[in-house]
């Protein structure tokens, strides 16, 4: 009788340890996912802000012919920051941000006078925005 009680006690202790280990493992995994999602969310929001600032600069340069508000050097900084922040998100955003950087590299000097260059930049800004919205909607 005593041996059977001891065996039940051992099984209860083993089950309790396994249950605690499983609970701890799940908690660690959940915290990692939550932290990753938080980092992605923060980076995405920062990119959205920079995208709107870049779009505003493009409009100032193209439509207002304002060399100060639409300074291409500021645009280079914003495009670089967008590309850097995109590495903290998903690959799809990173690819769209790289495409934005490539288009900016080839068209930044034409934005002031070329409508198609302006349209290409704005279209790519929208592509990055759309990808960010998709990523944000799929986070756990």
């Amino acid at each position: 009788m005593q041996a059977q009680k001891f065996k039940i006690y051992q099984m209860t202790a083993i089950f309790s340890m396994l249950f605690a280990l499983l609970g701890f493992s799940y908690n660690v995994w959940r915290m990692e996912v939550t932290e990753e999602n938080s980092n992605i969310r923060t980076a995405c929001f920062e990119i959205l802000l920079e995208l709107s600032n870049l779009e505003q600069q493009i409009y100032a340069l193209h439509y207002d012919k304002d060399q100060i508000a639409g300074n291409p050097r500021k645009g280079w900084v914003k495009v670089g920051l967008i590309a850097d922040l995109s590495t903290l998100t998903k690959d799809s955003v990173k690819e769209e941000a790289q495409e934005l950087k490539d288009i900016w590299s080839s068209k930044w000097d034409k934005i002031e006078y070329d409508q198609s260059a302006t349209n290409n930049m704005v279209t790519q800004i929208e592509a990055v925005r759309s990808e960010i919205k998709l990523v944000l909607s799929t986070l756990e």
Side-chain angles (χ1 to χ4, degrees):
M1 186 83 157
Q2 187 71 4
Q4 188 177 5
K5 283 185 179 180
F6 186 69
K7 197 170 197 166
I8 291 172
Y9 174 75
Q10 284 180 328
M11 294 300 283
T12 303
I14 290 171
F15 178 75
S16 296
M17 290 296 290
L18 288 174
F19 190 73
L21 183 61
L22 182 65
F24 179 74
S25 298
Y26 173 78
N27 190 35
V28 168
W29 171 80
R30 186 71 241 171
M31 285 179 15
E32 286 179 8
V33 169
T34 300
E35 180 69 21
E36 180 183 2
N37 286 345
S38 177
N39 290 342
I40 290 171
R41 205 173 278 115
T42 301
C44 284
F45 291 142
E46 289 297 323
I47 292 171
L48 287 172
L49 289 172
E50 294 302 324
L51 287 170
S52 70
N53 288 334
L54 179 63
E55 189 172 25
Q56 191 173 22
Q57 282 184 299
I58 290 169
Y59 289 150
L61 183 60
H62 182 76
Y63 294 109
D64 302 335
K65 306 297 184 207
D66 186 344
Q67 293 274 336
I68 295 172
N71 189 326
R73 284 182 299 232
K74 291 179 184 176
W76 274 109
V77 172
K78 293 201 177 300
V79 168
L81 181 57
I82 290 165
D84 290 345
L85 287 170
S86 72
T87 61
L88 302 174
T89 65
K90 301 287 184 175
D91 287 340
S92 58
V93 174
K94 185 177 173 181
E95 290 167 8
E96 292 295 342
Q98 185 58 50
E99 181 67 20
L100 176 69
K101 189 173 184 180
D102 293 344
I103 291 173
W104 178 264
S105 295
S106 65
K107 304 210 183 269
W108 69 270
D109 57 342
K110 299 172 185 78
I111 291 172
E112 185 174 5
Y113 58 86
D114 185 353
Q115 183 66 47
S116 72
T118 301
N119 291 344
N120 287 355
M121 284 302 305
V122 172
T123 299
Q124 189 57 34
I125 287 171
E126 261 320 301
V128 177
R129 271 193 191 115
S130 295
E131 199 57 44
I132 285 173
K133 290 174 190 174
L134 183 63
V135 165
L136 288 175
S137 69
T138 61
L139 292 179
E140 298 175 14

